[in-house]
Amino acid sequence: SKTEDIELSVNGIYAARDKVFLLLRIVNKSAIAYDVQSVQLYLSARQRSKRSPVQETSLDVVHKSNEFESVTAGASQYS
């Protein structure tokens, strides 16, 4: 499978109280269905210098839409 077969984009960022909500869009251009087993998000901070280390912090996913569990072949889906 080529890397261009699956695309994930952030189509919206919303904040309420102490939570941040992301509207994600996944596009499956492949010929087979894609099952989403887990979602892991990272917050990364990098200095302006390319040689500086990257600091990543794993973010806890509190809720994932049930609609985001499988994307059929040739389809796109929002969650």
Side-chain angles (χ1 to χ4, degrees):
S1 156
K2 295 185 292 184
T3 57
E4 298 86 21
D5 289 346
I6 303 291
E7 296 175 5
L8 180 70
S9 60
V10 177
N11 285 20
I13 301 175
Y14 308 96
R17 297 191 181 112
D18 63 341
K19 306 282 189 239
V20 175
F21 300 89
L22 302 175
L23 176 60
L24 302 176
R25 180 175 184 232
I26 189 167
V27 178
N28 182 1
K29 295 180 182 178
S30 71
I32 59 173
Y34 180 75
D35 293 329
V36 179
Q37 295 175 355
S38 66
V39 175
Q40 184 65 51
L41 301 173
Y42 293 92
L43 181 65
S44 66
R46 176 183 284 213
Q47 301 293 334
R48 292 189 181 255
S49 171
K50 289 184 179 181
R51 300 189 71 191
S52 64
V54 176
Q55 179 182 352
E56 290 186 344
T57 304
S58 178
L59 302 175
D60 294 329
V61 176
V62 178
H63 174 73
K64 179 180 71 116
S65 170
N66 292 337
E67 298 171 4
F68 204 57
E69 292 181 359
S70 180
V71 181
T72 58
S76 66
Q77 191 166 346
Y78 287 94
S79 179

